[in-house]
Amino acid sequence: GNNKSCCGRAGGGMAADAAQDQGPEDVGSYLREISEVNGAALASAACARALDAASTFSARSHFAIPPHRPSAASDGGGGEAEPSVYLTGHSLGLQPRSAQGAVMCELTKWAERGVAGHFEGELPWASCEEAVVPLLGELVGAADATLEVAAMNSLTVNLHLLMAAFYRPSAGRAGILIEAGAFPSDRYAVASQVRHHGHDPAEWLTEVAPREESGLLSTHDLLAAIDTLQDSLALVLLGGANYLTGQVLDMEAIARGVRRINSSRAARSEPPILLGLDLAHAAGNVPLSLHDWGVDFAAWCTYKYLNAGAGCLGAIFVHARHAADDGAYPRLTGWWGVPHAPGPRFEMRHGFDAAPGAAGFACSNVNPLMVACLLASLRTLRDAGGIQAARRKSRLLTGYLELLLHEEELTVPRAAAQAQPARCGIRIITPADPRRRGCQLSLRVLPPPPPGGAEAESGSGPPGAMRELEAALLSRGVVVDAREPDIVRAAPVPLYNSYEDVRAFVLRLADALVELARRWEK
């Protein structure tokens, strides 16, 4: 209410997590207001603690935070383990503490019940994947999760299964459009699909480039390319959030534009261009409304922002309008695509009785240990408040990171001065607008200015600079990751990261950038 403290604001509603629809100015203004109310500088420990106290969304205690044990040289000989600053949930999310017990439950069932485990317990193995479908449906905006969502396989395998149905090339119309800079596996998959149908990717695979001035993809450019190429396009497959830059596409606007193009095509009795999404970096990161947007299909993994463990189960979305159109878009099939309980899967019929919708794409049985991990994680997110609450926290948490990088002047390389050593800098290549990014900020390493006041070189540091920065941060207890050609990625995840994590990262980054400049001087 009226208490003039950050914690006092927490009693008045969403408090420090109320930023879902705010633009960059609003997020920054809110964080500065919290700083002023508490009489603490943004980069101070007091401000970070106040922001954490005001947050109504966190499940940090429900996750295992990897420990960091400082070396004797770096800490004066103490070497006691402390929680690392883990900012790599965009690559591999942390383990929910409930996952071990969930997995052990299934292992115990196997040991004690053997084959009977297929039909017993909370997760009967013959249908265990169905337990995660409602929770996944909420995350991606399915209208009817049972019809539109299924958990199976892994991401690229699922993309191939979906494209086997929905990529229907014909004479003069075999094109696939993707974004330039897509995750390599996506490009490998679509190129191989084009070749599989007897076409040349050099002719039929179109990549829309980011704009040179920003390095980011433009919704206008994507839709203009689809419109221009519509007579030769069979499929559009885009990443909802880019793995390298952290840019979140305006998926709703893109889907609306494709629907508009298809409406004109339908009036001319021409086949539609289908739209698919790779949501690896979007699922669990930003709210999605796939059914309402009218996306034809999507696939995602569950080991990043969904915290289900390395290589864990993937999932798919297939819009309800495709639930029974196997004649137009024939699927590759297997016995797990036959429904069970109720359904004839175990009647071993000669004919294939497909489950309607997404479930009909399943081919083989699912590993229940993976399902147990995924279910544990999805329940943790649900119990913490769900994806909308996570998004509110995420906008402020990542906004705080961006503000501190500027406040500490890390975005400007520093030349050596009387009392200060030279320091490398970083350039944030992720969109500044919180609506066009998720948790992740991508940082390009910048070299320090040369001595003597000469003009600094443009561009990034020497080859491998991002690997050196990654290692320097790791030695300081900060886990980020480096990606070619010159990027370090950091993602404060609202489920388990804190404002104090963000502050610690920025302070240790400043120290690591000084070390990096010192190495380059040599």
Side-chain angles (χ1 to χ4, degrees), residues 95-96 98-111 117 123-126 128-129 132 302 307-313 365-377:
Q95 182 188 112
S98 56
Q100 288 191 26
V103 169
M104 285 306 302
C105 182
E106 299 312 307
L107 290 174
T108 300
K109 183 168 66 174
W110 180 22
L123 291 178
W125 304 331
C128 59
E129 67 276 12
V132 299
T302 61
N307 308 298
C312 200
L313 200 60
N365 55 329
V366 172
N367 186 330
L369 304 183
M370 291 186 179
V371 175
C373 287
L374 177 56
L375 184 58
S377 177

Side-chain angles (χ1 to χ4, degrees), residues 331-373:
R331 287 83 158 134
L332 297 178
T333 56
W335 76 311
W336 226 250
V338 176
H340 166 66
R345 179 186 299 159
F346 289 94
E347 294 177 14
M348 308 302 178
R349 296 178 181 177
H350 182 71
F352 181 72
D353 301 292
F361 283 80
C363 291
S364 299
N365 55 329
V366 172
N367 186 330
L369 304 183
M370 291 186 179
V371 175
C373 287

